[in-house]
Amino acid sequence: AKMDGSKPISGGLSHCWPQFGPGAIQQHGFARNVNWEVVSVADDASSVELSLTPNDYTKEMWDKEFKCTFTVALGEDQLDTKMNVENVGEEAFDFQAALHSYFTVSSLENLEISGSFEGKEFLNKMVGDEGEMQTEERTAITISEEYDRVYKGVNDPVLKDSGKGKSLAVLNTAGWEDTVLWNPYGDEGMGFNNFVCVESVKFDSVTLEGGATWVGDMALKPSDL
């Protein structure tokens, strides 16, 4: 990660917005490249609200009238997040959204990711130039090769790390309809064996009319295996 703004930070819950992946503007959009304004912080520092509005940098590549807010709240047993995208103009615009979530693991060989994967179609971006639609036959995912897969209609992943004896449920309760699994398997420089990206995604474009708001709710709930 480069903390000087020269490249996006690879870690945490970085925002891919208003584009996911390659497209008309830069890879994964601009929301993870810019500073968000701190709107409020709870007295006990258990929650924070951040805001992003257009500036010269964003207008140069995507001249739309928007306001994004992102709220993070730490509860007794889980971390809650809420992303609001508001069209503050009159003209509709389209967008994609994702939380490019990075999670540490003890080792990939100790990790499985459960959820409603079996029978679901996914886009395997590692096949060919444009990727290939495939069907998942497994009930739980293990990673033993490079992964960049978009699982459409899967939004209930649970990471289970036998090395740590812990599980982490990704609770997508609004907006986030899909899951992306990403890992640069074999890349020692990136520390591939000690992290995985399990991303909360709205892969199909959202058309947001003037004055309308889209909401994405995601929580992280840890537990013992």
Side-chain angles (χ1 to χ4, degrees):
K2 301 289 186 181
M3 305 301 290
D4 60 3
S6 62
K7 62 177 293 187
I9 294 173
S10 298
L13 306 176
S14 58
H15 295 83
C16 301
W17 191 87
Q19 178 180 290
F20 181 71
I25 61 176
Q26 68 186 21
Q27 173 87 357
H28 288 331
F30 51 72
R32 64 181 187 157
N33 295 64
V34 296
N35 292 325
W36 291 50
E37 177 186 356
V38 178
V39 177
S40 63
V41 179
D43 291 340
D44 62 357
S46 63
S47 66
V48 61
E49 181 181 352
L50 307 173
S51 175
L52 176 65
T53 54
N55 56 40
D56 291 342
Y57 175 75
T58 66
K59 289 178 180 178
E60 185 175 341
M61 66 184 86
W62 201 72
D63 192 10
K64 308 296 182 183
E65 297 183 63
F66 68 87
K67 179 180 179 181
C68 291
T69 59
F70 189 66
T71 304
V72 182
L74 181 61
E76 291 186 2
D77 61 352
Q78 68 182 41
L79 182 77
D80 295 297
T81 74
K82 180 182 289 290
M83 184 173 180
N84 286 352
V85 178
E86 182 181 358
N87 184 342
V88 298
E90 296 182 356
E91 180 181 345
F93 59 71
D94 297 336
F95 70 89
Q96 295 169 288
L99 296 177
H100 202 310
S101 309
Y102 288 72
F103 300 110
T104 60
V105 299
S106 61
S107 172
L108 289 180
E109 67 181 8
N110 297 329
L111 175 71
E112 72 170 27
I113 304 166
S114 62
S116 54
F117 291 99
E118 186 177 14
K120 297 295 177 59
E121 288 194 337
F122 66 92
L123 175 63
N124 188 347
K125 293 187 176 184
M126 303 306 302
V127 179
D129 295 331
E130 302 295 328
E132 179 181 281
M133 292 302 299
Q134 299 177 350
T135 300
E136 183 57 73
E137 298 178 351
R138 296 169 294 174
T139 58
I141 309 301
T142 56
I143 295 175
S144 58
E145 61 183 324
E146 190 171 356
Y147 260 56
D148 191 355
R149 301 185 178 190
V150 182
Y151 285 88
K152 300 289 293 296
V154 176
N155 66 352
D156 59 349
V158 179
L159 291 78
K160 298 178 180 180
D161 188 333
S162 61
K164 294 183 176 182
K166 301 288 185 180
S167 69
L168 182 70
V170 182
L171 307 175
N172 296 301
T173 54
W176 307 115
E177 298 177 356
D178 315 303
T179 294
V180 168
L181 302 182
W182 182 79
N183 178 268
Y185 192 87
D187 192 328
E188 297 284 357
M190 293 190 70
F192 78 96
N193 198 40
N194 294 115
F195 82 92
V196 66
C197 289
V198 181
E199 308 169 32
S200 301
V201 182
K202 182 64 177 77
F203 189 74
D204 291 334
S205 292
V206 176
T207 299
L208 200 63
E209 301 293 338
T213 300
W214 176 88
V215 177
D217 288 335
M218 186 275 282
L220 300 174
K221 189 177 182 66
S223 62
D224 294 328
L225 285 176

